[in-house]
Amino acid sequence: MSRYLEARRETLPPAVTDLAEQLAEAGYKVTGPRLAVLKAATALRGAFSVHELEQWLIARGESPGIASIFRTVRLLSDLNLLQRIHGLDDCHRYSLGKGHGHHLVCTGCGAMERFEDCGVQSLIQQLEQRTGYRISAHLVELFGLCPRCLAASAA
Amino acid sequence: MSRYLEARRETLPPAVTDLAEQLAEAGYKVTGPRLAVLKAATALRGAFSVHELEQWLIARGESPGIASIFRTVRLLSDLNLLQRIHGLDDCHRYSLGKGHGHHLVCTGCGAMERFEDCGVQSLIQQLEQRTGYRISAHLVELFGLCPRCLAASAA
DNA sequence: TTCATAGTTGAGAGATAATATCAATAAAAT
DNA sequence: ATTTTATTGATATTATCTCTCAACTATGAA
């Protein structure tokens, strides 16, 4: 495995070591900058932007160069460990999570719920028949107010 | 109505005058640059980027400043006459069309089908119950190969 | 038709998101 | 411990898009 990771395993949250192990398994080196980004992404939870990752890291005095933050985000995305969130306007947010997933995003505060089953299978079948396309991917994102923002707006 | 539009109605495609009338009705002036962008968007059909609009216009020697192209795209979008297409990667394409709509985009050639009914109502109800969110908007986009690209890839 | 006015335009500066370059560095294999 | 090779970071660059503001023009009123 990764010597670098083993040396600091004790000091890292399990979620971070877990992700780092997947980087190693995929043949990538486990480096300081990459661990830093993983720490930030894990700590921020939910939907975060590259800028927010950077701010979190700067605040702790351990920010890699911005290029490496982008590179790590891209790498996690390529390995399907990170999903890009497509907002109605904003398309520059991400969420940790394995494989295919969808998001329900609060337009008030940015909170987010992930869900797996989006029930578009029958729509896909229907459209394949009607249009002759072979559909291989889909994007489903939902927007609204979370319970807290809902309560606040009612007051 | 718009004096400017009436004076050139004869020289414009109906799809363009139709859109221009909607600008006028909404209280916006019908100007040369705006008509030019409408012509480009109508001519390009399907999914287009701002850059493609600009290229089309430059090729005909009637391109407004890039700022005005962006402004017109934004205006059409605000009036719900233009939809932004969210690709898996690319989020900078648009499609003419009124109101709420979804897209089935060919990952091979960029061709595109619009569809209205996306059948996520029951998913929305389900998630509202489970999460307590009040869902007010959604994004559904599908990707695959169009019949032509499918045939080409089989060969 | 002409005029006044208020909305619109365009050039260029600037903001933001992201990538490219490449010498220096550090993790991993030996 | 040394070698090898991936990775990093500073900087420049590109792409997308917005801002500013003087000049302009479509529109409504006269």
Side-chain angles (χ1 to χ4, degrees), chain B:
Chain B
M1 279 276 128
S2 163
R3 242 150 52 189
Y4 188 90
L5 177 57
E6 294 312 320
R8 36 231 85 213
R9 170 158 249 137
E10 300 307 317
T11 71
L12 294 168
V16 171
T17 57
D18 187 53
L19 286 163
E21 269 166 19
Q22 300 189 59
L23 290 188
E25 266 162 43
Y28 295 94
K29 293 183 178 175
V30 175
T31 65
R34 282 175 179 163
L35 280 180
V37 171
L38 292 179
K39 276 200 280 183
T42 303
L44 287 172
R45 252 182 266 105
F48 51 81
S49 64
V50 170
H51 182 69
E52 284 162 3
L53 287 178
E54 190 188 23
Q55 290 309 305
W56 191 94
L57 289 161
I58 286 175
R60 280 156 195 76
E62 50 179 303
S63 184
I66 188 68
S68 287
I69 301 181
F70 274 107
R71 279 189 284 236
T72 303
V73 164
R74 152 81 73 122
L75 176 59
L76 292 171
S77 174
D78 287 348
L79 294 176
N80 236 295
L81 301 172
L82 184 78
Q83 316 300 316
R84 180 169 179 181
I85 296 178
H86 290 259
L88 291 174
D89 299 311
D90 186 5
C91 290
H92 306 108
R93 307 195 135 258
Y94 301 86
S95 114
L96 276 182
K98 220 165 190 159
H100 181 67
H102 304 291
H103 306 92
L104 167 51
V105 183
C106 176
T107 52
C109 67
M112 187 211 72
E113 298 276 330
R114 278 178 64 105
F115 58 96
E116 302 294 320
D117 185 10
C118 62
V120 292
Q121 291 319 313
S122 73
L123 169 69
I124 288 177
Q125 280 201 332
Q126 229 175 283
L127 277 167
E128 285 193 327
Q129 288 214 331
R130 209 181 80 203
T131 63
Y133 277 58
R134 166 97 84 251
I135 298 172
S136 53
H138 63 272
L139 195 66
V140 174
E141 310 274 19
L142 304 179
F143 311 95
L145 289 176
C146 70
R148 265 173 59 176
C149 289
L150 204 51
S153 73

Side-chain angles (χ1 to χ4, degrees), chain A:
Chain A
M1 277 271 128
S2 163
R3 240 148 54 189
Y4 189 90
L5 177 56
E6 294 313 320
R8 36 250 63 219
R9 172 158 249 136
E10 300 308 315
T11 69
L12 295 167
V16 170
T17 58
D18 188 52
L19 286 163
E21 269 167 19
Q22 300 190 58
L23 289 188
E25 266 161 46
Y28 295 94
K29 293 183 178 174
V30 175
T31 66
R34 282 177 178 160
L35 280 180
V37 171
L38 291 179
K39 276 200 280 183
T42 302
L44 286 171
R45 252 184 265 106
F48 51 81
S49 64
V50 170
H51 181 69
E52 285 162 3
L53 288 178
E54 191 188 20
Q55 290 310 305
W56 191 94
L57 289 161
I58 286 175
R60 278 155 196 77
E62 49 180 304
S63 184
I66 188 69
S68 287
I69 301 180
F70 274 107
R71 280 189 283 236
T72 304
V73 165
R74 152 80 73 122
L75 176 60
L76 293 171
S77 175
D78 287 347
L79 293 177
N80 236 298
L81 301 172
L82 185 79
Q83 315 301 314
R84 181 170 176 181
I85 296 178
H86 290 259
L88 291 174
D89 299 311
D90 187 4
C91 290
H92 306 107
R93 306 196 135 257
Y94 301 86
S95 114
L96 275 183
K98 219 165 191 159
H100 181 67
H102 303 293
H103 306 92
L104 166 51
V105 183
C106 177
T107 52
C109 66
M112 187 211 72
E113 297 276 331
R114 278 178 66 105
F115 57 96
E116 301 294 319
D117 184 12
C118 63
V120 292
Q121 291 318 316
S122 71
L123 169 70
I124 287 178
Q125 280 202 332
Q126 228 175 283
L127 277 167
E128 284 194 329
Q129 286 215 333
R130 209 181 81 204
T131 62
Y133 277 57
R134 166 100 81 253
I135 298 172
S136 54
H138 63 272
L139 196 66
V140 174
E141 308 274 19
L142 304 179
F143 310 95
L145 290 177
C146 70
R148 266 173 59 175
C149 288
L150 203 53
S153 73

